[in-house]
Amino acid sequence: MMISKRIQLSSYLVILVFIFFAFKLWQLQILEGERYRNLSEGNRLRIVKTPAPRGIIYDRNGKALVKNVPFFSVSILPENLKSADVGALAAFLGVEAAEIGALRDRKDNSPFIPVKLKQGLHFEEIARIEAGKSDFPGLFVETEVGREYLYGKTGGHVIGYLGKMTPAQFATPELKNFPPDGLIGQWGIEGLYDNVLRGIPGEKLIEVDALGRELRMVQQKPAVKGDDVTLSIDIDIQQAVEDAFGEKAGALVAIKPDTGEILALESLPSFDPNIFSRGIKYQDWVALMEDKKKPMLNRAIQSQYPPGSTFKIITGAAALEENSIDPQQRITCTGGVGYGRWTFGCWKKGGHGSVDFHRALVESCDTYFYEVGRRLGIDKIHQYATALGLGKETGLNLSIKERKGIIPSTQWKQERFKQPWYLGETYIAAIGQGYVTTTPIQMANMMSIFINGGDIHPLTFEKGGTQPVGRVALKPETISMVKDALSGVVNEPGGTAHGSMSQVVLIGGKTGTAQVVGKKKETKAEHHMDHAWFVAFAPVETPEIALAVFVEHGGHGGSAAAPVAKKAIEAYFVKQKPETEAGAPPGNKEPGAPGPKMLQTAAPAAPAPGVRDSHD
C-alpha cells in the first residue's frame, strides 16, 4: 500500500515537473520569443543609420556658402551601455557621467541602433579610444557628415544652423526614419529648406562579435544627398555690410524692388553657425544666451524702433496724394512750432527759413512736416503707412517670430489707452516719433514698394523672386516728386546724406535719427545715444536695389547709417560694371562706356562749402 502511494506521488511529481518545463518552453518560445530573438540578433547585428550629406547652399552669384565635411563620433549599443560602468566610461571619453546616464535611461533606445556618446572627436581622441575600447564592449568610432559655414558669422542670421531633433520633431511622421542623434535644420535657411536640403538617410546592417567588433557588412542602403539651394542673397553685400558696421549693432535689409528678392539681410552682432554644426556645447549655448549684445536677436525682423525722419517719406507722399499741400508752397521754419503750452522744435534750432516740399525733404525740416501732419491728420497717415507695409509682418519666413511695429490711429489709441487722439501726437507721429515703431525689414519693404511704383511683392530668399500680389495706388507725379527729393538728400548740397554721395551710382535716400531719451536726460553714454536710420535706393532713375539701414545707438542717420548703405549699394553695383569701367577713375571714361544708371561726374572729395554736418 505504501509503495503504491509512493509511486503515485512520484508520478504526480514527474507530471508537475513536465508541466513546469512545458510552461517555460512556451514562455520562452512563444510568449517572449520575439524579445529573446531580438536580443540574440542584437548581440550579433548592429544597425547604423547614416545621415545623408545635405544639399549645398549657394548665393545668387553661385558662391557656395556651406560645404559638407566629415567628422567622427563614438557610439555604443544600448545593451552594452546598460551593462557598462558609467563612471569609468565617462572618464574614458571625457564627458559627464550624468550625460551617459541620461542616454542609458532613454526610453526610446532601439536595441539595434547605437547610442552616440560623443561627437566631433579629434584625431588624438580617436587614437586613444581605438586603443582602449576593448575595456568597453560595443564601443566603436564612426564617421559622420557635418556642416562647415564658409563665411562664419557673415549672414549667420540668414543661413541659420543645425540642431538635434526636438521632442515635437521626434513625433513627426516625416522624420520617423531620421537618425535620432542626427542634426537637422533648426533655424534660418537651414530650417526653412530643411526638407529640401536634408536628403534621404542611409542604413548599414553590420555583424559584430560579442565585444562589438565589426565582422562583416550584411546589408547597406546608401544615403542620398539632399538637393542644393540657390538663394537670392549676395554674399558680397553681406560682407560689405559687416565691414561697414564694424563693432556697431544694427541691421540692414536690401531688396530687389521688381521681384521682392532679398539681396542682403544682416543683423549685427551675429553668431557663427559653425558652433552648432556638430552639436553645440552647453557652455557655448549659455554664453550666447547671456551675451549682453544679444547676437541671437535678429534685429532686422525681431526688433522695432521709431523710424525717425525716414517716416517723412510716408507723410510727404500721403500729403501729395491727398492734395493736402501744394509742393510749391513755402512754409517758414523758425526752429519749431508752438501748441498750447508745448513747443515742438525742429532739429535745426535756428530754423530752415522758407522751404517748399522738395527742400523740406532734402533738409528734413521738422517744422514743415508738423504742418503737413496737421493738414493730413493721423488717420490718413495711418492709411498710407499701412498700405505701404508698415505696422504688420512682411511674411518673410525665417522660422522666427516677426515683430509688427505700431502705426497709430485714433481708433488704435482709443482701444489701447481709452483716450482721444491729440494734435501734438500727430506732430510727432508725422516725423516718425511717439507711438510709431517699425522694423528694419518693414522700412526696406516700404522703400521697395514706393520706388517700384506701388507693386507689392511677397519677400523671398528664392532667386527669381515673386509676382506682385497687390498694388498701392500712387500717382506717378507723387512718386516722381518724392524720388527727386530723395535724390537731393544725397546729391544736393545741404542734403542730410550728402556726405554719402557715391561716385559709382546715383543714390536716393532719406536719413532718420530716432530719439532714445529726452533732451534733458541726454548723456554721452552709448545706450542713451539716438538710433540712426537710412532708407535708400539706386540708381535713382531705374532702381535695382532698395534698402534700410538701422544702427543701434549710432547717433545721426547721415553720419552713421548712410555710409553703411553706400558701401552695400556700391558692393552690389561695382561688380556689375565692366572691368575696364570699374578700374577707370570717374570723369575719365571712354565715350559711351558708362550706362545711364552710373554717375558720370566725380563727386567732391569733401563736403562743398555750406554743407552742414547733418543732425538728422
Side-chain angles (χ1 to χ4, degrees), residues 253-257 310 313-314 388-390 440-455 474 479 482-483 486-487 508-511 534-538 543 545-549:
V253 181
I255 299 171
K256 204 166 185 298
T310 59
I313 296 173
I314 306 286
L388 286 164
L390 304 185
I441 193 170
Q442 286 177 0
M443 295 305 291
N445 194 35
M446 178 277 294
M447 193 76 263
S448 176
I449 294 171
F450 188 84
I451 53 101
N452 77 18
D455 286 339
L474 296 169
I479 297 173
V482 173
K483 281 177 64 176
L486 297 183
S487 177
K510 182 70 193 79
T511 55
F534 190 60
V535 294
F537 59 97
I545 182 172
L547 56 81
V549 178

Side-chain angles (χ1 to χ4, degrees), residues 152-402:
K153 291 183 177 180
T154 303
H157 283 276
V158 172
I159 299 171
Y161 59 78
L162 305 180
K164 291 184 178 179
M165 284 192 287
T166 64
Q169 289 168 332
F170 262 117
T172 305
E174 182 191 352
L175 294 169
K176 68 178 182 181
N177 291 323
F178 194 77
D181 290 315
L183 300 174
I184 66 171
Q186 296 288 11
W187 205 23
I189 295 299
E190 290 280 28
L192 186 60
Y193 294 98
D194 182 69
N195 60 340
V196 177
L197 295 165
R198 190 192 314 141
I200 302 173
E203 190 173 283
K204 291 190 291 187
L205 187 61
I206 300 169
E207 185 178 2
V208 296
D209 63 13
L211 294 177
R213 291 176 298 202
E214 185 173 328
L215 299 178
R216 69 185 178 95
M217 179 82 72
V218 176
Q219 190 176 354
Q220 182 174 18
K221 177 182 169 186
V224 178
K225 177 180 171 293
D227 292 333
D228 298 336
V229 170
T230 297
L231 302 180
S232 60
I233 67 165
D234 184 328
I235 195 63
D236 292 335
I237 300 179
Q238 299 270 162
Q239 286 188 306
V241 171
E242 190 174 293
D243 292 343
F245 263 91
E247 297 299 316
K248 287 286 187 182
L252 177 145
V253 181
I255 299 171
K256 204 166 185 298
D258 57 340
T259 64
E261 293 169 80
I262 300 290
L263 294 170
L265 190 153
E266 193 68 61
S267 176
L268 297 166
S270 185
F271 62 91
D272 188 349
N274 286 303
I275 65 174
F276 292 89
S277 60
R278 296 171 191 177
I280 187 170
K281 297 177 182 175
Y282 175 75
Q283 57 268 33
D284 290 338
W285 178 252
V286 171
L288 278 176
M289 292 297 102
E290 294 182 352
D291 191 332
K292 293 181 179 178
K293 294 182 178 179
K294 300 180 178 178
M296 297 299 290
L297 174 67
N298 190 329
R299 288 169 167 80
I301 293 174
Q302 295 179 293
S303 294
Q304 55 190 32
Y305 315 87
S309 293
T310 59
F311 196 76
K312 291 171 183 170
I313 296 173
I314 306 286
T315 308
L320 293 174
E321 286 290 307
E322 296 294 322
N323 296 316
S324 299
I325 55 170
D326 174 354
Q328 307 304 321
Q329 181 186 359
R330 305 185 77 84
I331 294 174
T332 300
C333 170
T334 57
V337 297
Y339 174 63
R341 60 188 175 89
W342 294 279
T343 297
F344 294 84
C346 182
W347 68 264
K348 191 173 184 179
K349 295 187 182 303
H352 290 87
S354 176
V355 290
D356 60 8
F357 176 81
H358 180 91
R359 208 60 207 165
L361 205 52
V362 168
E363 299 187 24
S364 197
C365 176
D366 293 333
T367 301
Y368 184 92
F369 283 93
Y370 292 151
E371 174 59 17
V372 171
R374 186 191 68 77
R375 296 183 188 184
L376 267 175
I378 187 61
D379 289 334
K380 282 295 181 187
I381 295 174
H382 172 87
Q383 174 187 329
Y384 283 89
T386 53
L388 286 164
L390 304 185
K392 53 191 174 186
E393 297 102 330
T394 64
L396 184 70
N397 189 352
L398 263 181
S399 309
I400 54 176
K401 179 68 176 175
E402 186 177 355

Side-chain angles (χ1 to χ4, degrees), residues 15-86:
I15 291 171
L16 285 174
V17 169
F18 178 79
I19 292 173
F20 172 76
F21 279 113
F23 172 78
K24 290 302 293 183
L25 185 62
W26 174 81
Q27 182 187 27
L28 294 173
Q29 291 288 334
I30 306 299
L31 186 63
E32 299 184 32
E34 185 175 353
R35 173 171 172 262
Y36 284 108
R37 274 195 299 276
N38 288 343
L39 288 174
S40 175
E41 289 294 307
N43 286 333
R44 188 172 64 86
L45 298 177
R46 175 200 306 157
I47 297 176
V48 177
K49 294 212 171 191
T50 54
R54 292 176 69 82
I56 302 301
I57 302 173
Y58 295 96
D59 87 338
R60 67 182 298 108
N61 301 310
K63 291 185 177 180
L65 307 180
V66 301
K67 69 176 182 180
N68 295 318
V69 292
F71 72 97
F72 301 93
S73 60
V74 58
S75 304
I76 192 171
L77 285 170
E79 282 300 309
N80 297 116
L81 181 57
K82 284 180 182 176
S83 58
D85 181 337
V86 170

Side-chain angles (χ1 to χ4, degrees), residues 460-471:
T460 180
F461 284 110
E462 294 185 16
K463 189 177 180 182
T466 61
Q467 294 297 314
V469 295
R471 184 171 176 79

